[in-house]
C-alpha cells in the first residue's frame, strides 16, 4: 500500500479538484463537479486518476495501473508482452529486426530439471547490425554484465568469456538464424530475481524480461 502513496500524491497534484472533492465530500461539494451524483462516488475523471482515487476510497476496483506499478518495483516489468509458451520444459521465443522479443517473461515449471530456450531471429538484418541472443543473469547483475558484454565485442558475440554471472546464454545470431541453450533449472531457483536479455549493445533496454521458476 505504501507504494501507492507517491502515485496518489502525483494524481492529486494533477487532478487537484477531483481528489480534493473526494477527500472533503462530507463537508463540501466537489469543486467543479457538474455531474448530478454525490462527490463521494467519484465523478468521471481521466483514467490516470481513477486508480489512486479508488485506493483512497476502499478496495481497488480498477484493474491494472496501480497494481502493475507496484509490481514493477519488485520484479522487472514484462513490457506488457505475453509470457513465453512452455512445451516439455522448453520454449521458443522470437526476436525481430525491430529490436524486440515477442515475449515479455518466461516462467519455468518447477517440475523441470533442465530447461531449453530456443531463440529464432525472424528478421533479415545481419548479426553485426541487429544481432540477438538470450543471456540469463540475476537481475542485479544485468547492468554490469550488459556493459561488459558490449566491451567484449562482436567477435566474442558480445559475451565476456568465463563470466560466472552469466547463468546461460545462446550464441549471438542474425536474421533467419536460430540458436538454443539448455541449463539446469536449479540455477535459477534461488537467489533471484533473474532476467533474460539481449547482450547486443543497446538492446537490453527493450529486450529484457523476468525469468522465474514456478
Ligand atoms: Zn539484440
Amino acid at each position: 500500500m505504501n507504494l501507492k502513496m507517491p502515485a496518489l500524491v502525483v494524481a492529486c497534484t494533477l487532478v487537484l479538484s477531483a481528489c480534493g472533492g473526494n477527500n472533503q465530500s462530507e463537508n463540501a461539494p466537489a469543486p467543479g463537479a457538474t455531474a448530478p451524483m454525490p462527490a463521494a462516488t467519484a465523478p468521471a475523471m481521466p483514467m490516470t486518476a481513477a486508480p489512486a482515487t479508488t485506493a483512497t476510497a476502499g478496495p481497488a476496483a480498477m484493474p491494472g495501473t496501480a497494481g502493475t506499478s507496484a509490481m514493477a518495483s519488485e520484479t522487472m516489468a514484462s513490457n506488457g508482452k505475453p509470457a513465453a509458451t512452455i512445451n516439455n520444459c522448453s520454449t521458443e521465443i522470437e526476436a525481430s529486426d525491430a529490436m524486440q522479443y515477442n515475449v515479455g517473461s518466461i516462467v519455468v515449471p518447477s517440475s523441470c530439471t533442465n530447461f531449453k530456450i530456443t531463440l529464432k531471429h525472424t528478421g533479415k538484418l545481419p548479426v553485426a547490425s541487429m544481432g540477438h541472443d538470450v543471456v540469463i543473469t540475476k537481475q542485479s547483475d544485468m547492468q554490469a554484465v550488459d556493459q561488459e558484454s558490449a566491451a567484449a565485442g562482436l567477435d566474442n558475440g558480445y559475451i565476456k568469456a568465463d563470466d560466472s554471472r552469466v547463468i546461460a546464454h545462446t550464441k549471438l545470431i542474425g536474421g533467419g538464424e536460430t540458436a538454443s541453450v539448455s541449463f539446469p533449472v536449479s540455477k535459477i531457483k534461488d537467489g533471484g530475481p533473474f532476467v533474460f536479455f539481449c547482450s547486443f549493445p543497446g538492446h537490453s533496454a527493450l529486450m529484457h524480461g523476468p525469468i522465474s521458476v514456478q
Side-chain angles (χ1 to χ4, degrees), residues 11-199:
C12 286
T13 305
L14 294 174
V15 197
L16 264 178
S17 62
C19 287
N22 192 51
N23 293 339
Q24 301 163 12
S25 58
E26 291 183 6
N27 303 326
T34 55
M37 65 181 78
T41 58
M45 62 182 70
M47 286 297 291
T48 50
T53 304
T54 308
T56 312
M62 293 291 296
T65 321
T68 303
S69 62
M71 289 280 292
S73 66
E74 296 167 10
T75 58
M76 185 162 287
S78 54
N79 297 331
K81 293 179 185 168
T85 302
I86 310 298
N87 284 311
N88 294 327
C89 298
S90 69
T91 188
E92 179 175 302
I93 67 178
E94 296 177 353
S96 70
D97 282 345
M99 204 197 295
Q100 299 270 351
Y101 293 126
N102 68 331
V103 300
S105 61
I106 301 174
V107 178
V108 178
S110 59
S111 57
C112 296
T113 304
N114 290 291
F115 192 73
K116 179 181 179 181
I117 297 175
T118 298
L119 175 68
K120 185 178 179 184
H121 192 321
T122 59
K124 291 186 167 69
L125 294 171
V127 66
S129 60
M130 187 52 73
H132 298 310
D133 60 12
V134 173
V135 179
I136 299 173
T137 67
K138 288 185 183 181
Q139 182 175 315
S140 56
D141 287 335
M142 177 180 140
Q143 187 175 9
V145 170
D146 191 30
Q147 288 174 355
E148 292 169 38
S149 296
L154 177 62
D155 288 347
N156 294 308
Y158 293 118
I159 292 288
K160 182 182 171 187
D162 301 324
D163 189 335
S164 61
R165 296 166 301 183
V166 174
I167 294 162
H169 72 87
T170 69
K171 70 171 186 174
L172 192 74
I173 58 174
E177 295 184 298
T178 297
S180 297
V181 63
S182 295
F183 58 94
V185 173
S186 60
K187 288 192 171 184
I188 58 167
K189 262 187 176 152
D190 302 311
F194 297 93
V195 293
F196 66 98
F197 66 94
C198 178
S199 67

